[in-house]
Amino acid sequence: MPFSWPTFEQALYRIARLRRVIFTSVILAGLVLLLVGVLDPTTLPLQRAVNILLIVSAVIVAHVVLFPNVPLEALSLSVSISGFMAVVPLLSVFASFAPMPYRDAALLLLICLGMLLVIVVMLVAQFLIEAIVYVGPAVHLRLKTHLDVPFATFVASRQFGLRPDTRRGRVMTGSADDKGFFDVAVVSQHDLDPDDPTQPMVVKLDAKVLRSDAANHEVMLVLADGAVTVTSYKFVAKEGGCQVEITEIPGDFTLGMHAVFWLMDQQTDNLVEVAELLQGGPSCANGLSHAVSLLSIASMVLSPRQPLLD
């Protein structure tokens, strides 16, 4: 899915939904600035550190608005750009060693090298964060959230809960066998089929409804690697609709994956995606937006192979 500019509603939604990514990125930037300030207070006085932190905060907000599905890039961007801005005064010091007629050119060259170093640090930081996130044993934690929707409980129960022989947005299910298991196919918005890059990837798994009535729905998902995830829905009637409560126990999440899931508020975004599909109209859910990153945009600009905008 190519990059697309967000609408005003999508921008506001992304800031609200990814608030934890923004907050964590700002905290990381603050730690980098604190480290530089402790090591060399003359290079980074307090007022300048505050100004840099404000600029980095604005950059991170802009990043999550434009690139909502790459939270690890936002974290690595905050580290690299805050470090670069903190040491910019040192570039003038290094440029002063050049002969007088060449000092301006030397400073410009150092700034260009520094910007390239920012990209390198982003790549390294993102690689390290990904290693921390995805490496490790599976940890079974209970994830829970809720969303108020303008639907009656029986309507929400039929639409939000995964059931046989249904199609909901990018999720399609087959018929149940004699043991109650049925096939589930989920079309990815962000990944392409490795065998046919012109088509989106389709993730297939098995599911079984464990319990279902007008107020509750519980389903078990069996992933391709054998990991089991149990998802429970509860539908509570409220004025003007109902509240959908969801509790999940993922079977294949590492501790780092739990952290990223929480940072992105992914569970709530999944509920918003279904609710918006039922209501119709344009969607704000991050799950239905592009997964283009800032680094991929940079690589496409340098070597374009497909349209960047739609």
Side-chain angles (χ1 to χ4, degrees):
M1 185 177 183
F3 175 85
S4 58
W5 294 101
T7 64
F8 181 71
E9 290 76 14
Q10 287 174 331
L12 292 180
Y13 175 84
R14 292 172 184 180
I15 293 173
R17 186 65 56 226
L18 300 174
R19 62 196 181 281
R20 296 166 183 162
V21 175
I22 296 172
F23 179 77
T24 304
S25 299
V26 173
I27 291 296
L28 288 176
L31 292 176
V32 172
L33 296 174
L34 178 62
L35 178 62
V36 175
V38 170
L39 295 177
D40 189 358
T42 58
T43 298
L44 190 64
L46 179 59
Q47 185 58 51
R48 184 165 176 271
V50 171
N51 293 339
I52 292 176
L53 190 60
L54 292 175
I55 294 173
V56 172
S57 300
V59 170
I60 294 303
V61 170
H63 183 276
V64 300
V65 167
L66 296 175
F67 310 104
N69 286 302
V70 284
L72 301 187
E73 183 179 77
L75 300 179
S76 62
L77 176 63
S78 69
V79 171
S80 59
I81 194 172
S82 58
F84 172 71
M85 294 183 69
V87 300
V88 161
L90 296 179
L91 300 182
S92 298
V93 175
F94 293 140
S96 66
F97 290 104
M100 182 62 71
Y102 304 107
R103 286 184 181 178
D104 290 342
L107 179 59
L108 179 61
L109 177 62
L110 288 173
I111 292 175
C112 293
L113 292 175
M115 294 178 67
L116 291 176
L117 184 60
V118 167
I119 296 177
V120 173
V121 172
M122 277 186 66
L123 291 170
V124 173
Q126 189 165 335
F127 174 79
L128 293 176
I129 295 173
E130 287 180 352
I132 295 172
V133 166
Y134 296 108
V135 174
V139 178
H140 300 127
L141 298 178
R142 191 182 302 271
L143 307 174
K144 188 174 182 179
T145 190
H146 66 271
L147 180 71
D148 292 338
V149 297
F151 310 116
T153 55
F154 73 91
V155 174
S157 176
R158 296 296 304 176
Q159 297 297 331
F160 281 85
L162 196 63
R163 302 173 186 276
D165 297 312
T166 58
R167 180 170 186 174
R168 186 188 64 204
R170 51 197 182 93
V171 180
M172 180 182 295
T173 64
S175 301
D177 60 19
D178 54 356
K179 294 183 179 180
F181 284 93
F182 54 94
D183 296 329
V184 180
V186 182
V187 179
S188 174
Q189 286 285 109
H190 307 142
D191 300 309
L192 298 177
D193 188 334
D195 298 325
D196 185 2
T198 63
Q199 299 296 323
M201 178 183 291
V202 178
V203 179
K204 298 181 179 180
L205 45 94
D206 296 322
K208 180 180 182 179
V209 176
L210 302 178
R211 179 170 64 105
S212 183
D213 54 48
N216 299 277
H217 186 79
E218 187 172 287
V219 63
M220 176 178 66
L221 304 176
V222 183
L223 308 183
D225 60 0
V228 176
T229 295
V230 177
T231 303
S232 300
Y233 293 89
K234 184 177 181 180
F235 306 95
V236 181
K238 297 183 66 176
E239 184 178 354
C242 72
Q243 182 178 85
V244 181
E245 299 179 0
I246 181 173
T247 303
E248 294 178 281
I249 306 178
D252 61 341
F253 273 23
T254 64
L255 190 60
M257 292 169 68
H258 277 285
V260 173
F261 202 74
W262 177 80
L263 284 175
M264 296 186 69
D265 202 2
Q266 187 65 55
Q267 202 175 26
T268 305
D269 189 71
N270 293 340
L271 292 180
V272 171
E273 179 180 336
V274 177
E276 290 181 333
L277 286 171
L278 297 177
Q279 292 175 289
S283 175
C284 289
N286 293 329
L288 293 177
S289 64
H290 67 82
V292 177
S293 67
L294 178 62
L295 290 175
S296 68
I297 288 284
S299 67
M300 290 181 188
V301 169
L302 295 175
S303 181
R305 293 185 177 86
Q306 59 182 340
L308 299 183
L309 305 176
D310 65 1

